[in-house]
Every structure is written in structure tokens, then in C-alpha cells.
Amino acid sequence: MNIKLRKLIDSLLEILFPRKCPVCDRIIMPKGAVICPACRKRVSLVREPRCLKCGKQLFSEEAEYCDGCEKKTFHYTRGLVLMNYDSVARKILTALKYHGKCDNADYLAAETVAALREEILRMEADYFVPVPVHPRRKRVRGFNQAELIAKRLGERLDIPVRTDVLKRIKNTLPQKELGSAARLNNLLKAFAVKNTDKLAGKTVILVDDIYTTGSTAEACTRVLLLGGAKKVYLLNMAAGRAR
């Protein structure tokens, strides 16, 4: 969908169903905005210093990498993160992921473009590739939140979104209680590449909602590189601050 058509549809929807703020859940004023001006100040955007690998915000001005990236080897080229994961970010992402508040994807895309546009464009990506969910989980939820975000970003940045090159073939167990090594082992066989002719020699930006240990990103990255991708970058909506 081109951006002009998207704007027309958004205008019509705004009249019929006024957009609600992703933070306070009240009708947004002024109309056309994607978040209340007051609530925008409550969102903790990632600032410098940032980890030169994953993009998390660092506490120390002297550090170059977070503890995780210093201790582990990741095969993606570099990552960007929009927000620090706090109670506000958790509310925005939880409402999108589990409660179907899809307007939050519009907010996240708009904020990402405002904050990170030049850095994203410098990656010279051929595609956005959302981290896929298992088909069974997608049927239950009705959508893939990473795919929604990627499509909104693609419309704003004129970067194609490919949902046909990376698929999830194993519905893994919940990862919250697992350590980083166990998470990666749990995920390595969960993803597969298809349509390798569309991936060969391409630079892709892998889009997801939350970056934690990096296990999901690493599993997807390895599969994409083995499938022929030239480079893989990360773009995550939120991550915890790193020491």
C-alpha cells in the first residue's frame, strides 16, 4: 500500500474511530498525532551512549559494548533499538501483542522513523524482514506484531517488506525462564529460510518488538546468512538498558 493511500485510509479511520494514545489510552489531541504530547515525554527513547553492536543504551559513557555483546558472538552486523524497556514501553508493546491494539504499530513506526531514519537508511537494506511467529500462534492471535511494525515502517521509508523468506517451523516453549544458551538452543531449529532466490546477496533488517538476550535475533540471523543474505541488521522496538 502506498503512503498516499495509507494517509487517506488513516484520515477516514480517524473520523470513524478516533485514535487513542498508546500510553494513556485517551483520544489523542491534536487529531492526526499518534501519541499525546504529554505522553510522548514519558517514553524513554534510547540515547547515547549505545552499545555499538546491539544498540542498547549504556550507563557508562566510557563503555562501547554492553555486557552481553562483550561476552557473546553475534552474527548480525549491528542493531538499533527505539525505546528503553520500562513500564511505559511494556504497556505499549503488551497492548499491541496481546490485546490487539494495532494502532500502537503506527505509533512505533512513526517514532522509529523520527528517531532513527538516517541510521536505518544508511544500512542500505533491500528488505525489512519481520521475525515470524509460528502459524498456530498467528492464527490464535490474528496477526504477527513484528510484521505489522515492519509494514508500517516499510510504508514510511519505502523499503519493501518480505514475509516470504523467513518462517518459523517450530513452536518453541516460552523462553522467559531459560538462560541465554538454552534460549539459543531452543531456537536454532525453530526457523528456516524459503525462497532463497529472493534472499541471495541481499541486505536485510530484521524487525522485532523486544530484544532480550539476543537469542531470537541470533537464530534468525544465522538462518538468513546460511540462506544467502549478505548482511543482517536488527531493528528492535525496545530493550532493557545495558551495563
Side-chain angles (χ1 to χ4, degrees), residues 15 18 21 75 99 123 126 131 176 193 204 224 239:
I15 295 170
C21 176
H75 292 80
H99 305 297
M123 293 174 176
D126 296 288
V131 172
K176 291 181 181 179
V193 162
V204 305
L224 288 166

Side-chain angles (χ1 to χ4, degrees), residues 154-169:
E155 290 165 0
R156 287 172 167 80
L157 295 172
D158 197 27
I159 296 175
V161 178
R162 296 222 74 109
T163 60
D164 60 346
V165 295
L166 183 65
K167 62 180 179 179
R168 192 155 192 158
I169 57 175

Side-chain angles (χ1 to χ4, degrees), residues 88-161:
V88 174
R90 182 171 62 249
K91 180 176 182 179
I92 293 169
L93 294 170
T94 298
L96 169 61
K97 188 172 183 176
Y98 297 111
H99 305 297
K101 195 171 187 300
C102 295
D103 280 352
N104 287 9
D106 292 325
Y107 160 70
L108 292 166
E111 195 74 82
T112 298
V113 171
L116 300 171
R117 177 188 179 90
E118 295 308 316
E119 291 182 83
I120 294 171
L121 293 180
R122 279 199 294 271
M123 293 174 176
E124 298 183 334
D126 296 288
Y127 309 132
F128 283 123
V129 175
V131 172
V133 297
H134 192 271
R136 188 181 308 129
R137 188 170 296 179
K138 188 174 182 180
R139 284 195 298 271
V140 172
R141 190 178 297 161
F143 60 92
N144 172 8
Q145 72 281 356
E147 183 179 329
L148 286 180
I149 295 165
K151 287 181 175 178
R152 299 295 185 266
L153 286 166
E155 290 165 0
R156 287 172 167 80
L157 295 172
D158 197 27
I159 296 175
V161 178

Side-chain angles (χ1 to χ4, degrees), residues 49-100:
R50 296 178 292 174
C51 175
L52 295 179
K53 187 65 173 180
C54 71
K56 288 182 181 180
Q57 185 165 322
L58 300 170
F59 281 97
S60 172
E61 293 281 351
E62 299 175 356
E64 293 186 338
Y65 298 95
C66 67
D67 286 347
C69 291
E70 282 187 339
K71 295 174 181 176
K72 292 180 284 189
T73 299
F74 293 111
H75 292 80
Y76 60 85
T77 300
R78 185 188 167 214
L80 293 172
V81 180
L82 175 65
M83 304 180 293
N84 292 304
Y85 190 73
D86 57 12
S87 60
V88 174
R90 182 171 62 249
K91 180 176 182 179
I92 293 169
L93 294 170
T94 298
L96 169 61
K97 188 172 183 176
Y98 297 111
H99 305 297

